Amino acid sequence: MPDSPIRFRSVSKWFGTSQVLKGIDLTFGMGHVVVVCGPSGSGKSTLLRCINGLERVQEGQIEVLGQELTDRTLRSSGFRAEIGMVFQRFSLYPHMSVLQNVTLAPRLVRGTTAAAAKERAIRMLTRVGLADKVDAYPAELSGGQQQRVAIARALVMDPKIMLFDEPTSALDPEMIHEVLDVMRDLAASGMTMVIVTHEMGFAREVARRIIFMDEGEVVEDSETSAFFSAPATDRAQRFLDKILHH
Amino acid sequence: MHWEVIWRYREVLWNGLIFTLQLSVLSIVGSLVVGVVMGCLGALPNFFLRKFVATYVEVLRNLPVVVKLFFLYFVVGLEAMPAAVIALVTHQSAYIADLVAAGLRAVPREQSEAAYACGHGQWQIYRHILLPQALRIVAPPMTSQFIEVVKNTSTAMLIGVEELTFQTQAIESETFRGFEAASTVTLMYLAMALAIAGGMGLLERRLRLR
Ligand SMILES: Nc1ncnc2c1ncn2[C@@H]1O[C@H](COP(=O)(O)OP(=O)(O)OP(=O)(O)O)[C@@H](O)[C@H]1O
Ligand SMILES: [Mg+2]
C-alpha cells in the first residue's frame, strides 16, 4: 500500500472555457481525514469528483491507491469500488428496499452470493444504526437515515478511501448529528476520508488537515489547529468569519 | 336495422379481428423494444449516438404511417404483413424512444454516479437502476402509445391486409349495411383500447414507485 493514497500533480480542469481547477498539487495521507472547504463555486466538488473519475482532467496527473487514473484504470469496476462516495442527496435507488440498495453492488460487481451479501449488508446497516430498516424503502426514511444508508452502501464494498460531498447540507438541523456521528466513528476506525463540508465544528474535531479552496486554487492547506487559530491568508480568514458567525 | 348481418358475417369479422390483434401485438412489442433501445442509446454520453437517435426520431415522427406503409410495400417490395408491422414499429418506436429518453432524464444524476462509484458498469446501471425507474415514470403515456398502434393497424387495409377495417368495408360493399358493420367494429376497437388501458393500469399499480 502506498503511503499517500491520493496524489494530485499540477492538475487543471476546464468546463468549456472556464478553468475550475488551477494547477492543483496535493497529497493525502493514509488513514487521514481531510476536510475541503471554501466558497460556493470554488471547485470543491470538482476536486472530489476527480478522485474517482466522475470528472476527468485535461492537465496533470492524479494517482489513487498507487495507480494513475486513466480510462483503463477507471474501467476496472474493482478499482472504482475501492473509493466509496457519499453525495449530498438523491443517491439511493428509490425502487429498491434498503437491503437491495446495499446488496446490489456486492452481488453484481463482486459476484457475492445473495446470502453472503445480505449478511454483510446487515452488518453495515447495524454499524450505521439502521438494522431495523432493512426492508424499508428510501422514501420511508428521514433524510438522515437515507444518508446513513448511502454510507452503508459505500462501506459494504470495503473501500480504502471514502469521499463525502456535503453529506449533511441537505439535512434538517436535527438530523445532521446522526450522520456526523457515523462519520466520526468511521474516522476513528482509520478510514482515509476526504470530506467537503461546511460543518466547521466537526472539521475542527475530526480533520487532521483543512484544505481551503477559492476560485479553483488551493489557497491554504494547513494542520487543523493552525487553520482555525490563525489562517495564513485573508481569504481564508474572511471565509471563516462568515461561516463561524453564521 | 339489420343486425343479423353481423351474425351472418361473424366469421369474417373474427378473421379480421385476428389480423388486427396479430398486427397490434407484434407492433407493440416491436416498437417497445426498438423504442427502449433507441431511448437508451440516445441517453448515452456519445455525440454520434445522440445525433443518430435524434435523427431517427425526427425523421420517423414526421412521416405519416401510410407513407411508410406504401414505401415498404411498393418501393421495398415487402409482403403486406411484414410491411405493415415494420411501418407500425418504426412509426411508434420513434415516439416511444423520445418518451423513454425523457424518463431516463427524470432519474436524478446522483443515482447513476453513486452506482458508478460502487463499481457498476454502464449496462448494470441501465438494467437495474435507470430503466426500471424510467419505465415506471413513462407507463401512463406509454398506454396511449400502445392504443395508437392498435388504431394505426387499420392503415394496413390500404395494402390489402384483411384486418377489421378492411372487413368492415367488405361487409358494407356486399350488403350495404355500413351502419351496422361500422358500429360493431367501433365497439371492437374501443374494447381493445379499454383492455390495454386496464392492463396498463394494473401493471402501474403493481409497479408504483414507493
Ligand atoms: N458539469 C459542469 N459543467 C459546467 N460547469 C460546471 C460543471 N460543474 C461545475 N461547474 C462549474 O465549476 C465551478 C466549480 O464547481 P464546483 O461544483 O466544483 O464548486 P463547489 O466548490 O463544489 O461549489 P458548491 O459549494 O456550490 O457546491 C463552478 O463555477 C461551477 O459552476
Ligand atoms: Mg459542491
Side-chain angles (χ1 to χ4, degrees):
Chain A
M1 185 61 59
D3 48 23
S4 35
I6 308 168
R7 197 189 291 274
F8 281 65
R9 289 200 191 86
S10 325
V11 169
S12 290
K13 170 161 185 74
W14 287 260
F15 282 117
T17 54
S18 84
Q19 185 170 8
V20 294
L21 294 181
K22 301 176 179 164
I24 306 280
D25 282 296
L26 280 175
T27 53
F28 296 77
M30 199 67 204
H32 292 186
V33 176
V34 175
V35 161
V36 182
C37 62
S40 182
S42 55
K44 307 180 295 292
S45 297
T46 307
L47 179 89
L48 201 68
R49 293 160 61 85
C50 285
I51 297 173
N52 67 353
L54 279 176
E55 303 289 354
R56 308 307 304 277
V57 302
Q58 286 90 358
E59 264 178 30
Q61 285 94 44
I62 302 171
E63 209 181 279
V64 177
L65 299 167
Q67 303 219 45
E68 183 170 335
L69 293 192
T70 59
D71 288 336
R72 208 174 60 81
T73 47
L74 284 169
R75 218 174 296 129
S76 153
S77 56
F79 178 71
R80 292 204 306 273
E82 302 260 23
I83 313 162
M85 184 158 188
V86 177
F87 298 80
Q88 193 171 350
R89 57 181 160 180
F90 299 142
S91 83
L92 295 185
Y93 317 134
H95 57 305
M96 297 184 193
S97 71
V98 165
L99 186 66
Q100 289 169 323
N101 264 275
V102 181
T103 52
L104 190 71
R107 287 194 297 112
L108 297 182
V109 176
R110 293 265 160 80
T112 313
T113 63
K118 178 174 176 181
E119 194 213 300
R120 216 181 128 63
I122 289 178
R123 208 146 15 101
M124 292 304 142
L125 287 165
T126 308
R127 186 169 170 186
V128 301
L130 290 173
D132 55 332
K133 295 290 184 194
V134 284
D135 293 321
Y137 278 77
E140 299 161 357
L141 302 179
S142 72
Q145 291 170 331
Q146 292 183 23
Q147 286 303 71
R148 287 188 281 151
V149 173
I151 295 174
R153 183 178 62 187
L155 289 180
V156 81
M157 296 306 275
D158 200 14
K160 304 287 179 293
I161 298 171
M162 283 288 288
L163 310 175
F164 293 84
D165 193 356
E166 305 203 32
T168 59
S169 297
L171 297 181
D172 292 334
E174 70 271 19
M175 289 167 191
I176 291 177
H177 72 91
E178 68 188 52
V179 175
L180 294 183
D181 284 347
V182 169
M183 292 168 65
R184 200 176 283 119
D185 284 349
L186 197 57
S189 76
M191 176 67 76
T192 304
M193 296 161 78
V194 185
I195 306 170
V196 177
T197 185
H198 295 299
E199 293 294 328
M200 286 300 137
F202 173 78
R204 192 168 200 160
E205 174 195 347
V206 172
R208 175 181 295 240
R209 243 167 79 207
I210 310 283
I211 289 170
F212 173 71
M213 293 186 69
D214 196 12
E215 298 183 356
E217 290 177 77
V218 171
V219 175
E220 201 159 329
D221 178 358
S222 327
E223 295 278 319
T224 303
S225 54
F227 181 80
F228 282 104
S229 55
T233 60
D234 278 353
R235 278 197 276 185
Q237 183 67 61
R238 255 179 285 132
F239 174 77
L240 269 182
D241 287 346
K242 211 160 78 192
I243 208 158
L244 292 178
H245 300 128
H246 191 59
Chain B
M1 296 291 147
H2 292 273
W3 290 104
E4 74 280 358
V5 169
I6 301 304
W7 183 246
R8 199 147 27 86
Y9 279 86
R10 63 187 180 279
E11 215 156 301
V12 169
L13 284 171
W14 175 254
N15 291 338
L17 180 65
I18 295 297
F19 269 115
T20 295
L21 287 177
Q22 274 179 356
L23 278 177
S24 299
V25 170
L26 288 173
S27 306
I28 284 175
V29 172
S31 54
L32 185 62
V33 171
V34 176
V36 167
V37 169
M38 282 292 176
C40 290
L41 290 180
L44 285 173
N46 179 304
F47 179 80
F48 293 102
L49 275 179
R50 236 182 13 247
K51 279 280 168 258
F52 169 72
V53 172
T55 311
Y56 179 89
V57 169
E58 214 41 52
V59 169
L60 291 172
R61 270 206 314 209
N62 286 314
L63 290 173
V65 190
V66 183
V67 172
K68 295 186 181 97
L69 201 63
F70 284 178
F71 178 83
L72 290 165
Y73 186 67
F74 294 114
V75 181
V76 181
L78 295 178
E79 303 268 329
M81 271 302 267
V85 171
I86 295 175
L88 290 167
V89 166
T90 48
H91 186 73
Q92 219 62 43
S93 65
Y95 289 90
I96 292 179
D98 217 29
L99 211 56
V100 169
L104 290 170
R105 276 194 302 274
V107 179
R109 201 183 59 168
E110 284 86 344
Q111 286 180 39
S112 8
E113 291 184 344
Y116 171 86
C118 284
H120 294 291
Q122 198 78 256
W123 162 251
Q124 289 180 351
I125 293 176
Y126 271 86
R127 162 77 182 73
H128 295 278
I129 293 154
L130 296 178
L131 265 181
Q133 292 183 70
L135 291 180
R136 278 167 222 208
I137 293 168
V138 302
M142 199 65 95
T143 307
S144 34
Q145 296 296 316
F146 292 167
I147 293 173
E148 199 62 29
V149 173
V150 176
K151 283 155 57 185
N152 283 336
T153 55
S154 59
T155 57
M157 72 175 285
L158 298 172
I159 55 170
V161 177
E162 299 179 347
E163 45 69 70
L164 262 183
T165 312
F166 181 100
Q167 302 296 28
T168 315
Q169 209 184 32
I171 295 171
E172 200 277 336
S173 60
E174 280 176 35
T175 66
F176 305 107
R177 288 290 155 204
F179 178 84
E180 289 84 345
S183 308
T184 308
V185 168
T186 304
L187 287 177
M188 289 167 88
Y189 276 109
L190 213 56
M192 284 186 273
L194 286 175
I196 289 177
M200 289 296 283
L202 279 181
L203 196 67
E204 259 174 69
R205 230 161 301 137
R206 292 252 338 246
L207 295 181
R208 179 156 307 155
L209 279 181
R210 317 242 167 181

